[in-house]
Amino acid sequence: MPLHIQDMSQALFDTVQSLIDEIKAARPADQAELEQFRIRFLGSKNILKPLFGEIKQVENSRKKEYGQLVNEAKTLAEALFEELQANMKKEGQKAAFANLDLTAPGEPRPIGSRHPVSLVMQEMIDIFSRIGFTVADDREVEDDWHNFTAMNTPEDHPARDMQDTFYVVDAPKMVLRTHTSSVQARVMTSQKPPIRIVAPGRVYRNETISARSHCQFHQIEGLYIDEGVSFADLKQTLQYFVREFYGGDRQIRLRPSYFPFTEPSAEMDVYMGLNSEKDYRITKGTGWLEVLGCGMVDPAVLENCGIDPERYTGFAFGIGIERTAMLKYNIEDIRLMFENDVRFLRQFQSIV
Ligand code: PHE
């Protein structure tokens, strides 16, 4: 074997050995230096890579030994890099912890608030539950029968007009309920009298959205069915509600009205007085505020729902929640109720 090959072999051995020494001695002080180390020994153009190829220059008897040495250099660099990296991470965490001020005051937790619609709805539920009404909850996507037909609303009634009702696409017999009166039909077809429920919930009407009206809003429905329920019971119940909700000895008045599902029907006004500019505005100068629709359940409705109208009578009422909440909390625009603007919602934080 010519001498120069031996020389070449030894030179390669020396290079690898000196790199091994360098790796063993390496003490990178920070992340940047560690990165330099990684690039030099483990990067895609690392210094060890070409040395693997140089094995063809090594004399045959020492090829195996050479290969092992370069591999050792690589393994060593990998192990050291991982160890150093783990150490640095630990040190970093320690340093971060050392800088922690454990006496610093904590971040205050943001307190949520109840929506004005929920506040009013819950207050009304509380008032009616005190005289024995329980809560009935039912679907918002309703079939035509429960929303209209059962409620004595004939096919050609204007309330069925496409203008007011949202129909479900491809399912013309399904609607977004236009009132919580649909729950009356749900309850009457599934429970036997005596029935005494309130049904709070969201309803939908295809109306132009403005400061005064929206295509979605909430109602609370009341229904009482038993033997011998009279119009006097309805009046007493409403008078009780108004005293509890509006306070004091407020007067109510019932004006004759029309709903397909009640007979007789009435609208109830509450006397707000004319003590302020606001009273004039909300009562249109009369002092009386319209609050709800009500009436005696039409015998045809009882019949539709399988309740004997010869034996049972009942009353029902429906109250709009948004309008009540707007008056109570001086909210000028109904759209605020559905925008979830935290600047609006936070104003109800202190009310439970
Ligand atoms: N459902 C009626 C409405 O949406 C209100 C109502 C309920 C009237 C119950 C009478 C009895 O306006």
PDB file of all heavy atoms in Angstrom, residues 178-181 184 205 219 221-222 259 261-262 293-295 316-318, ligand 1:
ATOM      1  N   THR A 178     -94.855  31.601  16.106  1.00  0.00           N
ATOM      2  CA  THR A 178     -95.113  33.039  16.072  1.00  0.00           C
ATOM      3  C   THR A 178     -95.574  33.555  17.423  1.00  0.00           C
ATOM      4  O   THR A 178     -95.695  34.749  17.632  1.00  0.00           O
ATOM      5  CB  THR A 178     -96.195  33.368  15.022  1.00  0.00           C
ATOM      6  OG1 THR A 178     -97.381  32.621  15.357  1.00  0.00           O
ATOM      7  CG2 THR A 178     -95.741  32.979  13.637  1.00  0.00           C
ATOM      8  N   HIS A 179     -95.874  32.638  18.335  1.00  0.00           N
ATOM      9  CA  HIS A 179     -96.249  33.008  19.699  1.00  0.00           C
ATOM     10  C   HIS A 179     -96.051  31.789  20.615  1.00  0.00           C
ATOM     11  O   HIS A 179     -95.981  30.654  20.140  1.00  0.00           O
ATOM     12  CB  HIS A 179     -97.705  33.513  19.782  1.00  0.00           C
ATOM     13  CG  HIS A 179     -98.720  32.595  19.150  1.00  0.00           C
ATOM     14  ND1 HIS A 179    -100.040  32.948  19.019  1.00  0.00           N
ATOM     15  CD2 HIS A 179     -98.617  31.347  18.612  1.00  0.00           C
ATOM     16  CE1 HIS A 179    -100.704  31.958  18.436  1.00  0.00           C
ATOM     17  NE2 HIS A 179     -99.871  30.981  18.186  1.00  0.00           N
ATOM     18  N   THR A 180     -95.976  32.025  21.913  1.00  0.00           N
ATOM     19  CA  THR A 180     -95.821  30.896  22.836  1.00  0.00           C
ATOM     20  C   THR A 180     -97.154  30.178  23.044  1.00  0.00           C
ATOM     21  O   THR A 180     -97.206  29.165  23.753  1.00  0.00           O
ATOM     22  CB  THR A 180     -95.254  31.366  24.196  1.00  0.00           C
ATOM     23  OG1 THR A 180     -95.921  32.564  24.595  1.00  0.00           O
ATOM     24  CG2 THR A 180     -93.760  31.616  24.108  1.00  0.00           C
ATOM     25  N   SER A 181     -98.229  30.660  22.402  1.00  0.00           N
ATOM     26  CA  SER A 181     -99.519  29.972  22.517  1.00  0.00           C
ATOM     27  C   SER A 181     -99.442  28.546  21.976  1.00  0.00           C
ATOM     28  O   SER A 181    -100.262  27.691  22.343  1.00  0.00           O
ATOM     29  CB  SER A 181    -100.606  30.757  21.777  1.00  0.00           C
ATOM     30  OG  SER A 181    -100.729  32.049  22.333  1.00  0.00           O
ATOM     31  N   GLN A 184     -99.499  26.094  24.614  1.00  0.00           N
ATOM     32  CA  GLN A 184    -100.830  25.732  25.133  1.00  0.00           C
ATOM     33  C   GLN A 184    -101.276  24.406  24.527  1.00  0.00           C
ATOM     34  O   GLN A 184    -101.695  23.487  25.231  1.00  0.00           O
ATOM     35  CB  GLN A 184    -101.863  26.805  24.761  1.00  0.00           C
ATOM     36  CG  GLN A 184    -101.788  28.103  25.530  1.00  0.00           C
ATOM     37  CD  GLN A 184    -103.043  28.937  25.282  1.00  0.00           C
ATOM     38  OE1 GLN A 184    -104.145  28.394  25.179  1.00  0.00           O
ATOM     39  NE2 GLN A 184    -102.862  30.247  25.174  1.00  0.00           N
ATOM     40  N   ARG A 205     -91.322  36.542  14.210  1.00  0.00           N
ATOM     41  CA  ARG A 205     -92.264  37.080  13.222  1.00  0.00           C
ATOM     42  C   ARG A 205     -91.483  37.826  12.160  1.00  0.00           C
ATOM     43  O   ARG A 205     -90.513  38.528  12.477  1.00  0.00           O
ATOM     44  CB  ARG A 205     -93.263  38.031  13.888  1.00  0.00           C
ATOM     45  CG  ARG A 205     -94.323  37.259  14.657  1.00  0.00           C
ATOM     46  CD  ARG A 205     -95.319  38.146  15.340  1.00  0.00           C
ATOM     47  NE  ARG A 205     -95.907  37.400  16.459  1.00  0.00           N
ATOM     48  CZ  ARG A 205     -96.774  37.913  17.321  1.00  0.00           C
ATOM     49  NH1 ARG A 205     -97.157  39.166  17.190  1.00  0.00           N
ATOM     50  NH2 ARG A 205     -97.253  37.173  18.292  1.00  0.00           N
ATOM     51  N   GLN A 219     -91.826  35.877  24.736  1.00  0.00           N
ATOM     52  CA  GLN A 219     -93.123  36.009  25.395  1.00  0.00           C
ATOM     53  C   GLN A 219     -93.150  35.075  26.591  1.00  0.00           C
ATOM     54  O   GLN A 219     -92.372  34.133  26.682  1.00  0.00           O
ATOM     55  CB  GLN A 219     -94.258  35.594  24.452  1.00  0.00           C
ATOM     56  CG  GLN A 219     -94.462  36.499  23.264  1.00  0.00           C
ATOM     57  CD  GLN A 219     -95.658  36.048  22.428  1.00  0.00           C
ATOM     58  OE1 GLN A 219     -95.948  34.863  22.319  1.00  0.00           O
ATOM     59  NE2 GLN A 219     -96.347  37.011  21.828  1.00  0.00           N
ATOM     60  N   GLU A 221     -96.218  32.852  28.270  1.00  0.00           N
ATOM     61  CA  GLU A 221     -97.608  32.449  28.113  1.00  0.00           C
ATOM     62  C   GLU A 221     -98.117  31.932  29.444  1.00  0.00           C
ATOM     63  O   GLU A 221     -97.361  31.283  30.178  1.00  0.00           O
ATOM     64  CB  GLU A 221     -97.663  31.304  27.079  1.00  0.00           C
ATOM     65  CG  GLU A 221     -99.031  30.925  26.621  1.00  0.00           C
ATOM     66  CD  GLU A 221     -99.484  31.809  25.455  1.00  0.00           C
ATOM     67  OE1 GLU A 221     -98.677  32.633  24.978  1.00  0.00           O
ATOM     68  OE2 GLU A 221    -100.644  31.662  25.034  1.00  0.00           O
ATOM     69  N   GLY A 222     -99.353  32.203  29.758  1.00  0.00           N
ATOM     70  CA  GLY A 222     -99.954  31.610  30.948  1.00  0.00           C
ATOM     71  C   GLY A 222    -101.175  30.801  30.544  1.00  0.00           C
ATOM     72  O   GLY A 222    -101.899  31.187  29.626  1.00  0.00           O
ATOM     73  N   PHE A 259    -108.705  37.590  19.824  1.00  0.00           N
ATOM     74  CA  PHE A 259    -107.714  36.576  19.469  1.00  0.00           C
ATOM     75  C   PHE A 259    -108.503  35.346  19.035  1.00  0.00           C
ATOM     76  O   PHE A 259    -109.566  35.061  19.605  1.00  0.00           O
ATOM     77  CB  PHE A 259    -106.822  36.216  20.660  1.00  0.00           C
ATOM     78  CG  PHE A 259    -106.013  37.376  21.184  1.00  0.00           C
ATOM     79  CD1 PHE A 259    -106.395  38.027  22.350  1.00  0.00           C
ATOM     80  CD2 PHE A 259    -104.882  37.815  20.513  1.00  0.00           C
ATOM     81  CE1 PHE A 259    -105.659  39.107  22.840  1.00  0.00           C
ATOM     82  CE2 PHE A 259    -104.140  38.897  20.997  1.00  0.00           C
ATOM     83  CZ  PHE A 259    -104.526  39.543  22.154  1.00  0.00           C
ATOM     84  N   PHE A 261    -108.066  32.323  19.591  1.00  0.00           N
ATOM     85  CA  PHE A 261    -108.053  31.188  20.526  1.00  0.00           C
ATOM     86  C   PHE A 261    -108.662  31.518  21.878  1.00  0.00           C
ATOM     87  O   PHE A 261    -108.650  30.675  22.777  1.00  0.00           O
ATOM     88  CB  PHE A 261    -106.631  30.651  20.684  1.00  0.00           C
ATOM     89  CG  PHE A 261    -105.567  31.716  20.582  1.00  0.00           C
ATOM     90  CD1 PHE A 261    -105.143  32.399  21.705  1.00  0.00           C
ATOM     91  CD2 PHE A 261    -105.009  32.033  19.349  1.00  0.00           C
ATOM     92  CE1 PHE A 261    -104.175  33.399  21.599  1.00  0.00           C
ATOM     93  CE2 PHE A 261    -104.041  33.028  19.237  1.00  0.00           C
ATOM     94  CZ  PHE A 261    -103.625  33.714  20.364  1.00  0.00           C
ATOM     95  N   THR A 262    -109.143  32.751  22.069  1.00  0.00           N
ATOM     96  CA  THR A 262    -109.820  33.080  23.331  1.00  0.00           C
ATOM     97  C   THR A 262    -111.164  33.735  23.031  1.00  0.00           C
ATOM     98  O   THR A 262    -111.319  34.445  22.045  1.00  0.00           O
ATOM     99  CB  THR A 262    -108.970  34.029  24.208  1.00  0.00           C
ATOM    100  OG1 THR A 262    -108.470  35.082  23.396  1.00  0.00           O
ATOM    101  CG2 THR A 262    -107.829  33.298  24.879  1.00  0.00           C
ATOM    102  N   GLY A 293    -102.084  40.403  26.235  1.00  0.00           N
ATOM    103  CA  GLY A 293    -103.327  39.923  25.652  1.00  0.00           C
ATOM    104  C   GLY A 293    -103.797  38.724  26.455  1.00  0.00           C
ATOM    105  O   GLY A 293    -102.991  37.956  26.976  1.00  0.00           O
ATOM    106  N   CYS A 294    -105.120  38.563  26.566  1.00  0.00           N
ATOM    107  CA  CYS A 294    -105.623  37.467  27.397  1.00  0.00           C
ATOM    108  C   CYS A 294    -107.061  37.113  27.020  1.00  0.00           C
ATOM    109  O   CYS A 294    -107.664  37.738  26.154  1.00  0.00           O
ATOM    110  CB  CYS A 294    -105.561  37.855  28.868  1.00  0.00           C
ATOM    111  SG  CYS A 294    -106.581  39.295  29.268  1.00  0.00           S
ATOM    112  N   GLY A 295    -107.597  36.121  27.698  1.00  0.00           N
ATOM    113  CA  GLY A 295    -108.994  35.766  27.463  1.00  0.00           C
ATOM    114  C   GLY A 295    -109.312  34.390  28.007  1.00  0.00           C
ATOM    115  O   GLY A 295    -108.443  33.700  28.551  1.00  0.00           O
ATOM    116  N   ALA A 316    -106.162  32.160  29.479  1.00  0.00           N
ATOM    117  CA  ALA A 316    -104.788  32.211  28.973  1.00  0.00           C
ATOM    118  C   ALA A 316    -104.381  33.669  28.815  1.00  0.00           C
ATOM    119  O   ALA A 316    -105.240  34.544  28.676  1.00  0.00           O
ATOM    120  CB  ALA A 316    -104.684  31.485  27.629  1.00  0.00           C
ATOM    121  N   PHE A 317    -103.087  33.888  28.876  1.00  0.00           N
ATOM    122  CA  PHE A 317    -102.579  35.239  28.611  1.00  0.00           C
ATOM    123  C   PHE A 317    -101.177  35.149  28.005  1.00  0.00           C
ATOM    124  O   PHE A 317    -100.507  34.106  28.128  1.00  0.00           O
ATOM    125  CB  PHE A 317    -102.541  36.087  29.898  1.00  0.00           C
ATOM    126  CG  PHE A 317    -101.758  35.475  31.026  1.00  0.00           C
ATOM    127  CD1 PHE A 317    -100.381  35.660  31.116  1.00  0.00           C
ATOM    128  CD2 PHE A 317    -102.401  34.695  31.991  1.00  0.00           C
ATOM    129  CE1 PHE A 317     -99.662  35.095  32.163  1.00  0.00           C
ATOM    130  CE2 PHE A 317    -101.674  34.120  33.041  1.00  0.00           C
ATOM    131  CZ  PHE A 317    -100.310  34.311  33.123  1.00  0.00           C
ATOM    132  N   GLY A 318    -100.770  36.205  27.325  1.00  0.00           N
ATOM    133  CA  GLY A 318     -99.430  36.241  26.737  1.00  0.00           C
ATOM    134  C   GLY A 318     -98.822  37.623  26.928  1.00  0.00           C
ATOM    135  O   GLY A 318     -99.450  38.626  26.596  1.00  0.00           O
TER     136      GLY A 318
HETATM  137  N1  PHE B   1    -100.607  34.816  21.506  1.00  0.00           N
HETATM  138  C1  PHE B   1    -101.056  36.171  21.609  1.00  0.00           C
HETATM  139  C2  PHE B   1    -100.025  37.051  20.881  1.00  0.00           C
HETATM  140  O1  PHE B   1     -99.034  36.575  20.455  1.00  0.00           O
HETATM  141  C3  PHE B   1    -101.173  36.626  23.033  1.00  0.00           C
HETATM  142  C4  PHE B   1    -102.241  35.873  23.785  1.00  0.00           C
HETATM  143  C5  PHE B   1    -101.921  34.763  24.513  1.00  0.00           C
HETATM  144  C6  PHE B   1    -103.565  36.300  23.773  1.00  0.00           C
HETATM  145  C7  PHE B   1    -102.885  34.062  25.209  1.00  0.00           C
HETATM  146  C8  PHE B   1    -104.537  35.646  24.474  1.00  0.00           C
HETATM  147  C9  PHE B   1    -104.202  34.516  25.193  1.00  0.00           C
HETATM  148  O2  PHE B   1    -100.227  38.226  20.747  1.00  0.00           O
END
